[in-house]
Amino acid sequence: MKHNSKQSTAMKRYSRITLVGAGPGDADLISLKGLKALSTADVILYDALVNETLLEYAPKEALRIFVGKRANHHTYRQHQINEMLVSYARSNGHVVRLKGGDPFVFGRGGEELEYASEHGIRTDVVPGISSSIALSGLQGIPLTYRGVSESFWVITGATTAGVVSKDIYTAAKTDATVVVLMGMNKLTEIAQVYLQGGRGELPVAIIQNGSMPDEKIVLGTMATIVANASEQRISAPAVIVIGDVVAKHEHFAARQHKAVAI
């Protein structure tokens, strides 16, 4: 099917990509602006940690394409996702890239934005609530607290090379609260970093499936958290929160060796 020049110009004007942060899991935690973007989508490329009930807010005729990545399994490589975004924008119109949390917090949103810009596609960004700040709050753990913690670090559990981030070693020497994303596979190594620094009594919380009905939290210290997490069968997706602020959790003192089902 051939397009005349007017049709091609119209499609070029219409082609656009919106990066939307879906929040940490609970569908109610997406923004109103995010829902508005979904309501006008022609194509949705969505991730593994996105609550699929959000897809109901898109037009019935919109294409819904799962491009999620989990641990060592990738439905599509990142370069393929980049190419799909541009290709669908050119052929279908408005593409919504629906990403868990916030697109720019370990979400590779910056790479997708850059690729789209290089190919002349208009882009918009709708920020999302990142699990790095939301899940501790939902559990009553403040990331900062006067006289306890003046800052917080958000660090990936492992680099692309598969090793513990060097930032963990630096952060472990401070009094800052440390939030580790995608760190369950490196939990033992992370704990060892703190133990070697003489910080075995530092409080730790691991929040699994945060904001969801099956959310679970395990509490402990750096000396006990690995065993506690294993005993309670805590697994990804989970966020690790490290620091004295964890002791502010209502159950820390009494139940730090048990998981708390929410």
Side-chain angles (χ1 to χ4, degrees):
M1 179 178 178
K2 294 183 179 180
H3 296 278
N4 61 37
S5 58
K6 289 185 178 180
Q7 288 175 319
S8 298
T9 301
M11 181 56 73
K12 186 175 182 180
R13 253 195 328 265
Y14 181 62
S15 297
R16 62 190 175 107
I17 297 169
T18 305
L19 302 185
V20 176
D26 183 344
D28 288 345
L29 293 177
I30 193 173
S31 68
L32 179 58
K33 191 168 185 177
L35 291 182
K36 288 179 178 178
L38 282 171
S39 72
T40 62
D42 297 301
V43 181
I44 304 166
L45 273 60
Y46 65 99
D47 282 345
L49 296 181
V50 167
N51 190 324
E52 293 192 10
T53 61
L54 291 173
L55 300 178
E56 297 173 7
Y57 289 91
K60 291 183 178 180
E61 64 273 14
L63 293 178
R64 295 156 170 80
I65 304 170
F66 177 74
V67 293
K69 297 188 282 287
R70 281 286 185 91
N72 297 318
H73 178 71
H74 296 72
T75 308
Y76 294 96
R77 296 291 178 182
Q78 187 60 48
H79 73 90
Q80 294 175 305
I81 295 173
N82 294 346
E83 293 167 358
M84 291 169 68
L85 286 169
V86 169
S87 177
Y88 277 115
R90 287 174 172 166
S91 63
N92 292 57
H94 183 203
V95 179
V96 168
R97 178 70 173 100
L98 191 60
K99 306 172 79 68
D102 180 87
F104 290 164
V105 180
F106 298 117
R108 307 189 81 165
E111 297 174 39
E112 295 171 352
L113 199 70
E114 188 174 71
Y115 187 87
S117 179
E118 289 172 352
H119 289 78
I121 304 296
R122 170 190 160 187
T123 58
D124 295 291
V125 177
V126 180
I129 299 175
S130 172
S131 62
S132 63
I133 61 173
L135 302 188
S136 60
L138 289 173
Q139 281 289 341
I141 300 172
L143 292 181
T144 60
Y145 194 96
R146 186 171 56 177
V148 179
S149 176
E150 298 177 354
S151 64
F152 63 92
W153 297 43
V154 180
I155 305 174
T156 181
T159 66
T160 52
V163 298
V164 172
S165 170
K166 65 181 185 301
D167 289 340
I168 291 285
Y169 293 86
T170 304
K173 298 175 183 178
T174 75
D175 291 327
T177 304
V178 177
V179 181
V180 183
L181 303 183
M182 302 171 289
M184 285 305 295
N185 288 337
K186 296 294 182 181
L187 179 61
T188 299
E189 294 174 57
I190 292 169
Q192 195 60 36
V193 170
Y194 279 84
L195 291 173
Q196 289 174 352
R199 309 195 71 186
E201 296 306 308
L202 192 65
V204 186
I206 302 177
I207 305 166
Q208 177 183 317
N209 295 324
S211 80
M212 299 298 286
D214 57 347
E215 175 176 301
K216 186 163 65 173
I217 181 172
V218 64
L219 301 163
T221 64
M222 270 303 171
T224 64
I225 195 62
V226 173
N228 290 356
S230 176
E231 179 184 345
Q232 300 298 333
R233 298 183 180 179
I234 300 295
S235 60
V239 170
I240 305 168
V241 185
I242 304 167
D244 288 321
V245 292
V246 173
K248 298 293 182 182
H249 190 282
E250 62 177 333
H251 297 299
F252 181 79
R255 304 181 64 182
Q256 64 174 284
H257 297 295
K258 297 180 180 181
V260 182
I262 303 299

